[in-house]
Amino acid sequence: MKKWFLLIFAAFMISGCSETANDETPAAETEKKNISSKEESPSEEEAPAESEIEADSVNENFIPAKVVRVIDGDTVKVLVNGKEETLRLLLVDTPETVHPNKPVQPFGPEASSFAKKTLSGKEVELELDVGERDKYGRLLVYLHADGKMFNKLLIEKGLARVGYVYAPNTKHVDEFYKLQKTAQKKEIGIWSIENYATEDEGFNVAEKKSEDPKETQTEACTIKGNISSSGDKIYHLPEGQYYDATKEEEMFCSEDEAVNAGYRASKR
């Protein structure tokens, strides 16, 4: 009887151990899977942060372009994405060299020459402000070449004044005015001529007076002297019949002057 009891007890113990082992297996497998999952997935520290990628981008808001032609000190033509665009530099004004209604102004050629030397054929970057274009369709930009802003270089060298300041395109205006004050103190470039460059009204250029006395004289003298096909020298008064049709060889201020020059009065 004791033997049967021992056999039944042993069988019961073996069955209990087996069930315990089966109960522990899923938990172990789950733990192994969790460990494996952790090994396969990168930690949060290893994953690259999106903000860091953006911060590492260099001049991400600038537009690449290539200079194809320099028009003058503050106007340039470039290629942007295969399209030619005319650029107008923001917040600067250089003296005129190619204006259809204005003469070449002092330091205009110097500004244009500096722009050509610095920019011609260069790969550049365009920095925009709030307003993108002016009323002529030109791109309004701060132009960067060789790591320097060209707008600032013009002001620093006294080749441009701060001008055409219109909100909202005023991102760098405070810095530009500081640079201009330094150039004024040094009296360089446009600031070397007294009362030439102004902060608000552009450039004061006195009208060039005629140095040719004959030109001044012609404006006041109205008597036409004409040499006919037969060689006769005849002068015509404004009230004469043929005055308007006569092509003058000379102009006289008085009849005595015409007579002394060998001319006779027209009969009509």
Side-chain angles (χ1 to χ4, degrees):
M1 184 69 182
K2 194 179 287 187
K3 287 182 180 180
W4 283 107
F5 176 78
L6 292 173
L7 287 173
I8 292 171
F9 179 76
F12 176 77
M13 292 297 294
I14 293 170
S15 176
C17 291
S18 176
E19 288 177 2
T20 302
N22 289 337
D23 290 339
E24 292 177 352
T25 300
E29 289 179 356
T30 301
E31 187 177 353
K32 288 180 179 180
K33 287 180 180 180
N34 290 337
I35 294 171
S36 176
S37 176
K38 289 181 180 180
E39 291 176 351
E40 292 174 359
S41 300
S43 67
E44 292 182 1
E45 294 179 353
E46 294 172 349
E50 185 176 347
S51 60
E52 290 180 1
I53 294 174
E54 292 178 356
D56 290 340
S57 298
V58 179
N59 299 336
E60 61 181 2
N61 294 322
F62 290 4
I63 302 170
K66 183 174 182 179
V67 175
V68 295
R69 182 188 171 198
V70 174
I71 297 175
D72 59 17
D74 53 33
T75 312
V76 181
K77 285 188 177 291
V78 299
L79 281 178
V80 183
N81 296 325
K83 179 183 177 183
E84 186 171 284
E85 293 273 9
T86 301
L87 309 181
R88 178 62 172 82
L89 303 188
L90 276 167
L91 304 180
V92 297
D93 180 29
T94 61
E96 298 291 348
T97 57
V98 294
H99 196 285
N101 301 320
K102 294 182 181 180
V104 174
Q105 297 173 334
F107 289 98
E110 287 84 348
S112 182
S113 177
F114 177 64
K116 290 175 181 177
K117 180 180 178 181
T118 307
L119 302 175
S120 293
K122 290 283 186 71
E123 299 288 343
V124 296
E125 292 181 310
L126 315 180
E127 178 186 355
L128 303 179
D129 211 320
V130 179
E132 186 173 306
R133 295 181 184 272
D134 64 9
K135 62 182 180 180
Y136 305 108
R138 300 178 297 187
L139 275 176
L140 301 172
V141 304
Y142 305 103
L143 182 60
H144 296 259
D146 299 324
K148 298 179 180 179
M149 187 194 294
F150 186 69
N151 309 50
K152 289 169 57 175
L153 293 177
L154 287 171
I155 298 172
E156 287 174 347
K157 293 181 176 295
L159 297 176
R161 69 182 189 93
V162 179
Y164 301 105
V165 180
Y166 302 117
N169 290 339
T170 56
K171 185 192 298 186
H172 298 291
V173 70
D174 291 337
E175 181 184 8
F176 284 11
Y177 274 126
K178 289 179 182 178
L179 294 173
Q180 178 169 278
K181 285 184 179 179
T182 301
Q184 288 172 321
K185 289 179 181 178
K186 293 180 179 179
E187 296 184 348
I188 57 176
I190 60 176
W191 307 108
S192 66
I193 304 175
E194 187 176 4
N195 299 324
Y196 170 50
T198 67
E199 292 190 5
D200 301 317
E201 299 178 2
F203 301 97
N204 293 322
V205 182
E207 293 184 6
K208 186 178 179 181
K209 296 181 179 179
S210 172
E211 298 178 358
D212 188 352
K214 290 183 179 179
E215 186 176 333
T216 305
Q217 185 181 23
T218 300
E219 293 177 0
C221 301
T222 58
I223 299 174
K224 291 181 178 180
N226 176 265
I227 301 175
S228 68
S229 57
S230 60
D232 293 334
K233 292 185 174 182
I234 304 170
Y235 68 82
H236 299 262
L237 300 175
E239 62 269 20
Q241 181 178 353
Y242 301 116
Y243 183 83
D244 291 336
T246 299
K247 182 179 180 181
E248 68 276 13
E249 306 286 346
E250 294 182 70
M251 295 296 292
F252 302 104
C253 298
S254 67
E255 290 187 71
D256 288 341
E257 185 181 354
V259 171
N260 291 334
Y263 287 82
R264 65 170 177 81
S266 172
K267 296 178 181 179
R268 296 183 184 180

